[in-house]
Amino acid sequence: MTIPKSILERLKQNETIARKFHEIEISILSILNFHDFIEKLLFEISSKFSVPYTWISIIEESSISQPLHAIQNSKLLRTSTAFLSKKKFSDITQNQLKPILSNKNINKFNALIPDAAKYEIGSIAIAPITMDGEIVGSINQADKNIHRFEPGIDTSSLEQLALKASLCLSNVTAHEKLKFLAFHDPLTQLLNRNVMERILDREFQRSKRYHIDLALLFLDLDDFKSINDTYGHDNGDIALCYTANCLNSLKRETDIVARFAGDEFVVILPSSNQRQAETYINRVKQKLAKNPVPTDGQKFYMNLAHYRADFFSLAHIPLSLDYNQGSLKQA
């Protein structure tokens, strides 16, 4: 019995597609960080299948949103990663797990497209990706050709791609979480004490070598024990996270904020003198005084109780100052 030529060609095409998917899977399987994983995945899809536009969309409320926001320094990721709310994603995809194809009313998919991207889309394919059974976003492909992703074509290959990407993404996420916990405080997400000490040593040596000012702040909270006793330990944890966010939001890009222990924090201010350190402290105090800790049904404010600042001058003679209720005193 002679097999029709059309069937043979189809089998050959399927074999080629399967081989390309296998090559993509092999290329991303050993990658264990978000940055390289996404860059490699998008590059491989685009190059092996000659897709003009390939990008991912991430749901803001998903567990991978925050770490992906942190790597937007990559030009490729800025133009190939979009973030949108769970509601917008749901409105577009109707929570479908199967790939969506469209070549009409493309504007309705705008929320899925990165702001920095300049795509001319005639047809689009959206393949949802999941983690632990929950949709976290999608891998998207598009072409100027309106027939490339025309509704009705077989989407089994797109489903396979989304499945493989989801499995690899789970591995990357697990590894990134372990790596994050090795360097960060699990509650406040600030750098932990061990990392802070290494950074401080590096900054001190740099300050000493290049004769650059360096300020080091030790901070603790006002009567934090009474907050735990009065409002409960859960609200106490919220208060610590709130304070950590305050310290982080007011620092410069080059400054370092770390949790030292309990309600104690350390801030490293490279290239900063006494006046600049005082300005930072005053801004922190003002923000804490004006904004209550965001808890359910409770309202209280955080205050800095006692803090010490060490300044390393150009002559590198450490000057320690104690701050009590906003006044400076020689230590």
Side-chain angles (χ1 to χ4, degrees):
M1 179 179 177
T2 305
I3 301 176
K5 186 177 180 181
S6 60
I7 295 179
L8 288 175
E9 290 178 351
R10 183 59 181 170
L11 289 173
K12 187 177 293 185
Q13 289 175 0
N14 289 342
E15 184 180 340
T16 301
I17 291 173
R19 175 177 52 78
K20 289 181 178 180
F21 275 121
H22 179 69
E23 290 172 353
I24 292 175
E25 183 180 13
I26 293 300
S27 69
I28 63 176
L29 195 58
S30 60
I31 298 176
L32 295 175
N33 68 83
F34 283 119
H35 182 282
D36 294 344
F37 171 77
I38 293 175
E39 285 199 342
K40 187 66 173 177
L41 174 65
L42 298 181
F43 172 79
E44 290 290 331
I45 294 172
S46 181
S47 61
K48 291 191 182 299
F49 293 99
S50 300
V51 181
Y53 312 122
T54 306
W55 74 97
I56 65 170
S57 301
I58 299 298
I59 296 174
E60 285 282 12
E61 295 89 337
S62 70
S63 59
I64 63 173
S65 175
Q66 185 175 351
L68 288 180
H69 269 300
I71 57 174
Q72 291 300 296
N73 58 319
S74 163
K75 181 180 179 181
L76 174 61
L77 293 181
R78 283 198 304 273
T79 58
S80 59
T81 311
F83 295 89
L84 70 165
S85 69
K86 186 175 183 178
K87 184 181 184 306
K88 283 187 178 180
F89 190 89
S90 178
D91 289 343
I92 293 172
T93 65
Q94 299 299 306
N95 294 322
Q96 292 186 57
L97 287 174
K98 289 187 174 295
I100 299 168
L101 306 177
S102 183
N103 58 1
K104 295 180 180 179
N105 301 321
I106 299 299
N107 288 341
K108 67 183 179 183
F109 301 107
N110 283 349
L112 293 174
I113 302 173
D115 293 335
K118 304 294 182 183
Y119 299 156
E120 298 178 25
I121 299 177
S123 60
I124 188 172
I126 302 160
I129 51 178
T130 62
M131 273 185 52
D132 301 322
E134 180 182 359
I135 297 176
V136 297
S138 60
I139 299 174
N140 313 296
Q141 301 175 60
D143 199 309
K144 295 180 182 179
N145 186 342
I146 63 172
H147 302 296
R148 176 70 183 268
F149 300 111
E150 189 173 22
I153 66 174
D154 182 20
T155 62
S156 58
S157 59
L158 294 174
E159 290 183 58
Q160 183 184 4
L161 172 64
L163 176 61
K164 292 181 183 298
S166 296
L167 292 173
C168 291
L169 186 59
S170 294
N171 290 336
V172 173
T173 302
H175 184 268
E176 288 280 29
K177 284 182 178 178
L178 288 174
K179 185 171 70 174
F180 184 87
L181 290 174
F183 295 98
H184 294 79
D185 170 56
L187 176 63
T188 63
Q189 311 292 292
L190 295 176
L191 293 174
N192 60 33
R193 179 174 176 172
N194 289 336
V195 176
M196 179 274 297
E197 289 175 347
R198 293 202 296 269
I199 293 175
L200 178 57
D201 180 66
R202 180 196 69 196
E203 289 300 328
F204 180 76
Q205 295 303 326
R206 190 172 75 91
S207 173
K208 186 176 180 180
R209 179 176 181 180
Y210 296 107
H211 302 286
I212 302 171
D213 286 340
L214 173 65
L216 177 64
L217 306 178
F218 295 88
L219 318 172
D220 63 70
L221 302 176
D222 184 16
D223 199 13
F224 182 68
K225 183 180 182 302
S226 70
I227 292 175
N228 279 330
D229 293 341
T230 304
Y231 301 104
H233 286 274
D234 287 344
N235 282 329
D237 287 347
I238 292 173
L240 287 173
C241 293
Y242 172 75
T243 304
N245 291 336
C246 178
L247 293 170
N248 241 344
S249 66
L250 296 176
K251 75 176 184 66
R252 301 169 304 179
E253 187 175 349
T254 54
D255 299 335
I256 301 296
V257 180
R259 186 182 182 190
F260 192 72
D263 65 331
E264 298 174 341
F265 300 90
V266 170
V267 183
I268 302 172
L269 304 170
S271 304
S272 296
N273 55 30
Q274 179 177 329
R275 179 185 57 80
Q276 291 168 313
E278 289 177 17
T279 298
Y280 172 78
I281 285 292
N282 288 332
R283 291 177 65 202
V284 170
K285 292 183 67 177
Q286 289 171 11
K287 184 170 183 178
L288 291 176
K290 290 180 180 178
N291 300 283
V293 177
T295 62
D296 293 332
Q298 306 283 352
K299 185 177 181 180
F300 59 92
Y301 294 81
M302 300 305 300
N303 297 297
L304 295 179
H306 177 87
Y307 43 95
R308 194 189 85 203
D310 290 342
F311 302 97
F312 302 93
S313 67
L314 294 179
H316 277 87
I317 302 174
L319 174 65
S320 294
L321 299 171
D322 269 351
Y323 289 70
N324 287 295
Q325 299 177 350
S327 61
L328 290 176
K329 294 183 179 179
Q330 184 73 41

